Amino acid sequence: MASAIDELPSSLEMVKDDVIRWRRHLHRNPELFFEEEETSRFVYDTLQQFAGLEVSRPTKTSVLARLTGGFPGPVLALRADMDALPIQEETVFEFASRVPGKMHACGHDGHTAILLGTARVLAQVRERIHGEVRFIFQHAGELHPGGARDLVEAGVMEWVDGVVGLHLWSPLPVGQIGLKAGAVLAAPDEFFITIRGRGGHAAQPEVLVDPIVTAAQVVINLQHVVSRQTDPLEPVVLSVTQFHAGTAHNVIPPKVEINGTVRTFNPALRAEVPRLMERVIRGVTAAHGADYELRYEEGYNPVINDGPITARVREVLIQAFGANAVREARPHMGGEDFSAYQAVCPGTFFYVGCSDPEKGHCPHHHPLFTINEESLAVGVKAFIHIALRLPGEDAL
Ligand code: NI
């Protein structure tokens, strides 16, 4: 009797067009984080058409499907995020966003379609699956505190032995897959600084405390935290991304608002950076007679891939795609709430190349972002091989 893996090529071919169609439907109708009502309804209705799945709604804007195999075994969770971004799309595809100011500019439409395709193929070979496969269609990957935390709280990870997620990745050409054990995505924290001076007439700076000049010094000196005060072998990014002040050319304003992000992998360094920042801010503002407030908010935890699962997934992907297609991923200072699942059980998060080798790549979160849709079939094939091989071989 042929194994489920042997029958995959025809199943994949059958589902390929549907996956593209689902992705385009989602792309046309993007919804932002925590608002994925139509998206989750579409996912729920589509999953209902596949026999053998137990489909539920753990939260208002998420969907969970459970598939119990014909053999005993562990529980594997596969995850897709479903949210779009507040970006005005500038592509001219016939399936471009119909919603002004909202766009699937990170590829989450593709993730959702890939997981739907995976569920459809696996449901067809349910009898030959070991253990249980859980399909997690998650809301709000793009905005802290993220949807993963809600889903963990709602119990979707109960009894799960391993969790695997993927991201379509435009720095990699289609056909290539990147993965890596250890730290792959950073902890994205956010800071808010208010510098208060004493505002007044711009012609009389000597009787005022100019918060703009002081805040400009703060921004410059904060760059020294990374370049002079932290270990050069430990990655850290400190970016000031907003600087707001003033209303007129002849008025020195009373305050400046600064906002930005800090990215780290190392937990000790993560805890240390706000202290180093505050020392700089305190010193610079004191030198200029200004006051300050610093608010520092921790974002997602870093994504740290489990060694044994990552090694096993690598073997499975090499068997499925060949050694030349599977590369060691580069860590990235972006953030992902996939880490919330990894806090509960071992897991790995990998990248599926999605750029067109001829046209080069457009960065994620860009108004012209798009994917080469061949990458969708790569994602489905990867997830299916992982779901069929990992549990059956007691790798979880
Ligand atoms: Ni993303």
Side-chain angles (χ1 to χ4, degrees), residues 81 106 108 111 142 167 336 365:
D81 43 9
C106 196
H108 300 188
H111 303 167
E142 296 284 5
H167 207 298
E336 242 290 346
H365 296 206

Side-chain angles (χ1 to χ4, degrees), residues 308-328:
I309 286 201
T310 307
R312 206 45 210 108
V313 166
R314 185 188 304 275
E315 284 170 31
V316 169
L317 293 176
I318 287 173
Q319 279 170 346
F321 296 96
N324 290 338
V326 182
R327 298 189 186 180
E328 182 75 1

